[in-house]
């Protein structure tokens, strides 16, 4: 499922003889002191040679990044400015849905959950719980709020961070763009990923900003397991997770660090 790419850093014809020569001790010392490149053996046109290999190193990291915790690293990919857009659209959609329900069924609306505007900090907590669920899955998400100690996490911790009813309310109203401005299916300008807005593009741009492209990369496909009824969901019978959303991922071959990703739109159910 993967295809490996290689950047050869070829030089001009008049420099090709230099690459084929044995490096001197001085050259080796210079290459070892270089922070971005190192000498490795490779083959070109069935002849051994030496080529420069770019290491997979982070870049543009803020000062003091050595002491950053997991939450702060996560905020590099989803900064508060991006979360503010999600908060605005989520609150807008929730109030609109609440108003429609109140007008159509006032009696039922009185006993239903009253929406309270979500904040950026609360949305970070919501996403953190989603990540924790994916690391230690238990089947039905509701079991994470049961008072028990089985599995990778002690479940009472979920209730201390967010009550289950609030989690369900955010999950049902989560939005990334305004549905009212999206072109309907079949009309000019319609995009299958329109409801994601610019969020996915923003995350991919952060990958490019914080990680430099190494010389050894691989392109692989990954499945995000889901039984959600969506025209983007796919079925791949040979995958452990047969139903879900398929992504094409560009990764560093050495560390597995994602460098770019794209949602596959072909063969959707």
């Amino acid at each position: 499922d993967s295809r490996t790419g290689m950047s050869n850093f070829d030089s001009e014809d008049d420099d090709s003889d230099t690459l084929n020569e044995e490096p001197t001790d001085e050259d080796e010392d210079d290459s070892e002191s270089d922070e971005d490149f190192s000498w490795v053996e490779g083959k070109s046109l069935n002849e051994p040679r030496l080529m420069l290999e770019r290491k997979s190193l982070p870049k543009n990291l803020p000062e003091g990044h050595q002491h950053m915790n997991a939450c702060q690293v996560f905020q590099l990919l989803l900064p508060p400015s991006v979360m503010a857009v999600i908060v605005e659209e989520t609150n807008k959609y929730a109030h609109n849905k609440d108003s429609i329900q109140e007008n159509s069924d006032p009696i039922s609306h009185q006993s239903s959950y009253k929406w309270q505007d979500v904040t950026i900090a609360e949305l970070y907590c919501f996403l953190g719980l989603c990540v924790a669920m994916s690391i230690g899955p238990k089947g039905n998400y509701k079991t994470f709020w049961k008072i028990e100690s089985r599995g990778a996490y002690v479940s009472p911790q979920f209730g201390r961070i967010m009550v289950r009813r609030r989690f369900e309310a955010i999950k049902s109203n989560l939005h990334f763009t305004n549905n009212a401005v999206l072109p309907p299916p079949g009309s000019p300008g319609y995009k299958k990923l329109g409801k994601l807005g610019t969020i996915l593009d923003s995350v991919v741009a952060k990958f490019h900003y914080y990680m430099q492209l190494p010389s050894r990369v691989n392109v692989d496909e990954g499945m995000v397991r889901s039984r959600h009824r969506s025209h983007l969901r796919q079925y791949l019978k040979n995958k452990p997770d047969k139903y879900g959303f398929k992504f094409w991922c560009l990764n560093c071959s050495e560390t597995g660090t994602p460098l770019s990703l794209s949602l596959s739109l072909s063969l959707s159910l």
Side-chain angles (χ1 to χ4, degrees), residues 184-199:
S187 63
Y190 170 74
K191 297 181 180 179
K192 287 187 176 183
L193 300 181
K195 286 195 173 184
L196 286 178
T198 60
I199 302 301

Side-chain angles (χ1 to χ4, degrees), residues 116-136:
Q116 297 179 354
D117 285 350
V118 67
T119 63
I120 294 179
E122 195 175 20
L123 192 57
Y124 274 124
C125 293
F126 172 83
L127 294 179
L129 293 179
C130 292
V131 172
M133 290 179 186
S134 66
I135 297 175

Side-chain angles (χ1 to χ4, degrees), residues 94-107:
H95 285 300
N96 185 45
K97 186 174 70 173
D98 192 58
S99 177
I100 295 175
Q101 184 180 1
E102 183 179 9
N103 295 331
S104 60
D105 192 356
I107 298 178

Side-chain angles (χ1 to χ4, degrees), residues 5 12 25 74 89 126 147 152 162 189 231:
E12 299 295 333
D25 295 338
F74 183 79
E89 297 300 337
F126 172 83
I147 303 177
M162 184 179 296
H231 63 282

Side-chain angles (χ1 to χ4, degrees), residues 203-224:
V203 173
V204 173
K206 293 298 181 181
F207 286 153
H208 297 168
Y209 182 75
Y210 288 114
M211 287 298 297
Q212 64 179 357
L213 185 66
S215 57
R216 295 180 183 270
V217 298
N218 66 76
V219 179
D220 199 3
E221 58 182 10
M223 288 288 288
V224 178

Side-chain angles (χ1 to χ4, degrees), residues 41-196:
E41 289 191 8
K43 291 186 178 181
S44 177
L45 301 178
N46 298 323
E47 293 182 2
R49 70 168 189 171
L50 292 174
M51 70 180 115
L52 286 173
E53 180 183 67
R54 186 189 298 272
K55 297 180 180 179
S56 175
L57 296 174
K59 61 178 182 178
N60 300 324
L61 294 179
E63 184 177 356
H65 63 273
Q66 300 89 344
H67 307 291
M68 295 175 64
N69 56 36
C71 183
Q72 292 171 329
V73 174
F74 183 79
Q75 290 178 353
L76 293 179
L77 301 178
L78 279 176
S81 58
V82 175
M83 298 292 281
V85 176
I86 304 177
V87 166
E88 179 182 359
E89 297 300 337
T90 298
N91 290 330
K92 186 185 303 182
Y93 176 81
H95 285 300
N96 185 45
K97 186 174 70 173
D98 192 58
S99 177
I100 295 175
Q101 184 180 1
E102 183 179 9
N103 295 331
S104 60
D105 192 356
I107 298 178
S108 176
H109 178 264
Q110 292 178 357
S111 59
S112 63
Y113 178 82
K114 301 298 186 296
W115 174 258
Q116 297 179 354
D117 285 350
V118 67
T119 63
I120 294 179
E122 195 175 20
L123 192 57
Y124 274 124
C125 293
F126 172 83
L127 294 179
L129 293 179
C130 292
V131 172
M133 290 179 186
S134 66
I135 297 175
K138 292 187 177 183
N140 193 321
Y141 74 92
K142 295 180 180 180
T143 59
F144 284 94
W145 276 265
K146 290 184 178 181
I147 303 177
E148 59 182 13
S149 300
R150 294 182 302 172
Y153 299 96
V154 180
S155 293
Q157 292 181 357
F158 280 71
R160 297 189 186 104
I161 297 173
M162 184 179 296
V163 297
R164 194 190 77 189
R165 196 171 185 183
R166 179 59 172 171
F167 179 88
E168 293 173 338
I170 296 176
K171 182 168 70 75
S172 64
N173 291 290
L174 189 65
H175 265 65
F176 303 99
T177 189
N178 188 359
N179 292 344
V181 301
L182 294 178
S187 63
Y190 170 74
K191 297 181 180 179
K192 287 187 176 183
L193 300 181
K195 286 195 173 184
L196 286 178

